[in-house]
Amino acid sequence: MVKSENKFDVIVIGAGPAGLAEGYALNSAGKKVAIVENYQWGGTCPNRGCDPKKMLLSGVQARDHIAQLKNKGFSDVPFVNWSEIEAFKETYTSKIPGGSRNGAVSAGITAIDGEPHFIAENQIEVNNETFQADNFVIATGQRPSQLNIPGKEYLLTSTDFMNLKKMPKKITFIGAGYIAFELATIASSTGAQVHIVHHNDRPLKEFDKSYVDELVKQLENRGVKFHFNIDTTSIVKSNDGFTLNAEGFKLESDLIVGATGRIPNTDKLDLEKSGIKYTNKGIQVNDHLQTTNTRVYAIGDVLDKKEPKLTPIAGFEARYVASVLNKDNSDKIIYPAIPTLVYGSPELAKVGINTIDAKDNDEYKVVDQDLTKWFTYYRTNEPIAKAKVVFDKNNQIVGATIMSNEADEVINYLTIAINKKMKHDEIVNTIFAYPTPASDLQYLL
Ligand SMILES: Cc1cc2nc3c(=O)[nH]c(=O)nc-3n(C[C@H](O)[C@H](O)[C@H](O)COP(=O)(O)OP(=O)(O)OC[C@H]3O[C@@H](n4cnc5c(N)ncnc54)[C@H](O)[C@@H]3O)c2cc1C
Ligand SMILES: NC(=O)c1ccc[n+]([C@@H]2O[C@H](COP(=O)([O-])OP(=O)(O)OC[C@H]3O[C@@H](n4cnc5c(N)ncnc54)[C@H](O)[C@@H]3O)[C@@H](O)[C@H]2O)c1
């Protein structure tokens, strides 16, 4: 017999951006909701992902702005003190787990701490107690993948990097994806000599190659050394640090960070007992985000999906599933244009139709502009600012790739323009504050 207080309308598993957004949306619609978390409430993004990374980057970007203005008002480029910036980040992250849990409980959500696993299609067990629900939403996210090589235990994760108390003299990242580019930018501005070792010659492969090549050059200009086509075979501990070995290649470092992707947290849940299918890419769902057990939904990074695994998409999926469970919606999920961004100095961003796919397609026109001399970028002496914009046959913007220090802001404007199908006239006739990246939009579109 399941105790009546252990029976819920919906049990959400995982208290990250996806699970919390789900819990709040269902709770405010009057459902009896519980959320189960096995580690830190708040999940990856605010505890060990987007937010701490961006706090660490804030100091780096401030320093880089001054570096750009060397001999144009500044004679010295300040040193970024890693220990202070890391401690500042900690003032934010240390409050996240408690704050996230308290917020959910204050809203009326039942918080359960422990390791859940399915024991039947509508029941889970946590801490030897049985809980039952009409529906479940799995939102357990991902964790860093680990290379299967001798010495893998010596590799740090992105979380370890962000919690370092001291920046080492020499640090190596394996893998050249989002995490390596962003953390390498931070490390190189805080005094470390940085290396990136990648197994092929196509870093950030989902972005336009010509812009990635330029980004690689910008990182090289700040001292980052790239080693392409190197397949790491082992890590060996030495007296002073660690040696990364590959065929005909050796690299000594004080620390080595593995940044070769992330894997879904599906393994501890006994999904088979609930009839839920999954692959090594995540939980399989239909176009209503429903798993192979129709009472169970899955959202966020734990999904096997083609959309990128990012915080705002986790929130979008949570709101969608809430609308389905609240019986307000029976439509399949349709994603709007999704912006993605590699943070740094400069930033690389894209949205909508990829400029790589549009290049050789008659349906599209791609306009590539060097913006470096435009006033917005000239006034801060940015080393590089570029934009490739994709238009369809009606001259409607459908995609873009942007590189500059302001790419985060510009890509968001372009996302609105794509989703709202805005025409050039509408942009020209919108009065934006001048001079800002927004007031440049009329020359981009
Ligand atoms: C270094 C880094 C930087 C990033 N930067 C950005 C960025 O700038 N912008 C962006 O949009 N995205 C970024 N991301 C991705 C972003 O963090 C994720 O997309 C987002 O956190 C996904 O939310 P989620 O709720 O699906 O998963 P998560 O945030 O991972 O939350 C899942 C939760 O489930 C819990 N859990 C796991 N297994 C179980 C279990 N068996 N039982 C119970 N609970 C469980 C976890 O402890 C966690 O709290 C970054 C990620 C990393 C690692
Ligand atoms: N700004 C952001 O939005 C942001 C920032 C960080 C992370 N994230 C999220 O976290 C995810 C994980 O980031 P990530 O950088 O770990 O993964 P990623 O998938 O972006 O990059 C991993 C890279 O490692 C390479 N790789 C794989 N095996 C390798 C090997 N044996 N040796 C060398 N290289 C190897 C891959 O080819 C790939 O380029 C991202 O896909 C994204 O969802 C987002």
Side-chain angles (χ1 to χ4, degrees):
M1 264 300 271
V2 179
K3 289 193 260 178
S4 66
E5 65 265 32
N6 286 1
K7 287 187 181 166
F8 293 90
D9 295 325
V10 185
I11 295 179
V12 179
I13 305 179
L20 286 172
E22 190 65 67
Y24 276 106
L26 292 168
N27 178 64
S28 61
K31 300 255 188 223
K32 186 182 174 199
V33 179
I35 303 182
V36 195
E37 169 60 49
N38 73 351
Y39 181 40
Q40 288 178 323
W41 285 72
T44 303
C45 184
N47 284 302
R48 48 191 181 277
C50 343
D51 297 350
K53 167 202 69 193
K54 203 141 185 217
M55 276 192 85
L56 295 170
L57 259 176
S58 301
V60 168
Q61 286 171 324
R63 172 209 171 268
D64 289 345
H65 284 160
I66 293 178
Q68 281 167 212
L69 294 172
K70 189 158 186 233
N71 301 327
K72 294 182 172 53
F74 294 91
S75 44
D76 294 317
V77 178
F79 173 70
V80 181
N81 183 317
W82 169 264
S83 304
E84 282 183 17
I85 212 168
E86 193 278 333
F88 178 44
K89 177 242 9 170
E90 197 66 26
T91 62
Y92 172 82
T93 50
S94 59
K95 299 191 193 92
I96 297 295
S100 303
R101 192 182 187 285
N102 290 345
V105 171
S106 310
I109 294 169
T110 300
I112 304 170
D113 297 282
E115 200 68 72
H117 63 103
F118 280 93
I119 52 171
E121 62 152 23
N122 64 342
Q123 288 181 343
I124 55 170
E125 195 176 78
V126 193
N127 308 326
N128 297 320
E129 260 197 87
T130 302
F131 295 84
Q132 183 170 309
D134 296 338
N135 292 104
F136 288 83
V137 182
I138 303 175
T140 47
Q142 300 190 105
R143 62 180 184 274
S145 66
Q146 212 184 27
L147 283 179
N148 193 15
I149 51 168
K152 61 179 185 250
E153 63 278 14
Y154 299 127
L155 293 176
L156 301 187
T157 64
S158 49
T159 310
D160 299 325
F161 172 89
M162 288 194 267
N163 293 333
L164 285 175
K165 294 298 163 214
K166 203 171 149 250
M167 184 56 64
K169 284 208 173 74
K170 187 170 171 185
I171 188 163
T172 296
F173 294 88
I174 308 179
Y178 284 84
I179 290 181
F181 271 78
E182 293 180 342
L183 300 189
T185 302
I186 295 171
S188 68
S189 285
T190 45
Q193 190 192 336
V194 181
H195 293 256
I196 297 182
V197 174
H198 193 53
H199 62 162
N200 57 36
D201 61 358
R202 187 68 179 87
L204 291 172
K205 65 176 180 315
E206 50 283 79
F207 285 85
D208 193 298
K209 185 173 182 316
S210 64
Y211 277 39
V212 174
D213 289 347
E214 190 56 61
L215 188 63
V216 166
K217 242 190 257 166
Q218 294 297 321
L219 262 81
E220 284 173 341
N221 288 347
R222 56 195 300 147
V224 175
K225 292 202 166 53
F226 285 84
H227 307 272
F228 291 124
N229 297 313
I230 301 289
D231 227 337
T232 305
T233 49
S234 69
I235 309 292
V236 175
K237 195 169 172 13
S238 56
N239 286 343
D240 304 327
F242 302 91
T243 309
L244 180 155
N245 294 304
E247 211 185 306
F249 181 87
K250 259 188 195 325
L251 182 64
E252 302 278 342
S253 317
D254 299 315
L255 292 175
I256 307 180
V257 179
T260 50
R262 293 170 61 76
I263 53 166
N265 293 317
T266 46
D267 41 343
K268 294 181 180 161
L269 295 166
D270 281 345
L271 294 174
E272 295 79 5
K273 298 226 170 90
S274 185
I276 299 166
K277 289 205 173 132
Y278 61 99
T279 66
N280 59 0
K281 292 192 183 128
I283 296 179
Q284 294 177 314
V285 287
N286 63 16
D287 52 17
H288 286 73
L289 302 187
Q290 203 169 25
T291 69
T292 42
N293 171 348
T294 52
R295 66 168 78 233
V296 180
Y297 291 75
I299 54 173
D301 279 12
V302 77
L303 287 184
D304 178 354
K305 59 180 173 183
K306 63 176 189 325
E307 287 72 24
K309 297 191 171 183
L310 299 172
T311 293
I313 301 165
F316 182 82
E317 289 164 350
R319 290 188 293 278
Y320 167 79
V321 167
S323 72
V324 171
L325 290 175
N326 290 331
K327 309 255 185 292
D328 301 332
N329 190 1
S330 57
D331 296 341
K332 63 182 186 183
I333 188 164
I334 296 176
Y335 293 89
I338 295 171
T340 59
L341 180 59
V342 184
Y343 290 97
S345 304
E347 297 168 336
L348 176 63
K350 71 178 173 64
V351 65
I353 303 286
N354 201 330
T355 43
I356 319 170
D357 302 327
K359 191 166 81 71
D360 300 315
N361 187 330
D362 291 346
E363 295 293 307
Y364 302 113
K365 181 178 78 182
V366 181
V367 179
D368 193 357
Q369 297 199 69
D370 185 343
L371 320 179
T372 318
K373 296 273 176 326
W374 288 22
F375 179 69
T376 299
Y377 309 97
Y378 184 81
R379 78 185 173 87
T380 53
N381 199 32
E382 284 197 30
I384 186 108
K386 286 157 79 89
K388 256 190 203 185
V389 180
V390 185
F391 298 91
D392 68 9
K393 286 201 159 145
N394 301 318
N395 235 7
Q396 163 65 48
I397 175 180
V398 289
T401 300
I402 309 282
M403 181 160 48
S404 73
N405 288 348
E406 289 74 15
D408 52 353
E409 196 178 326
V410 176
I411 210 72
N412 281 334
Y413 298 137
L414 298 182
T415 303
I416 295 173
I418 292 171
N419 286 328
K420 299 280 173 215
K421 298 197 184 326
M422 287 175 85
K423 296 271 173 232
H424 185 249
D425 273 5
E426 287 174 85
I427 302 283
V428 173
N429 288 320
T430 304
I431 298 181
F432 293 106
Y434 175 88
T436 60
S439 58
D440 291 342
L441 281 179
Q442 58 179 309
Y443 308 111
L444 275 181
L445 299 184

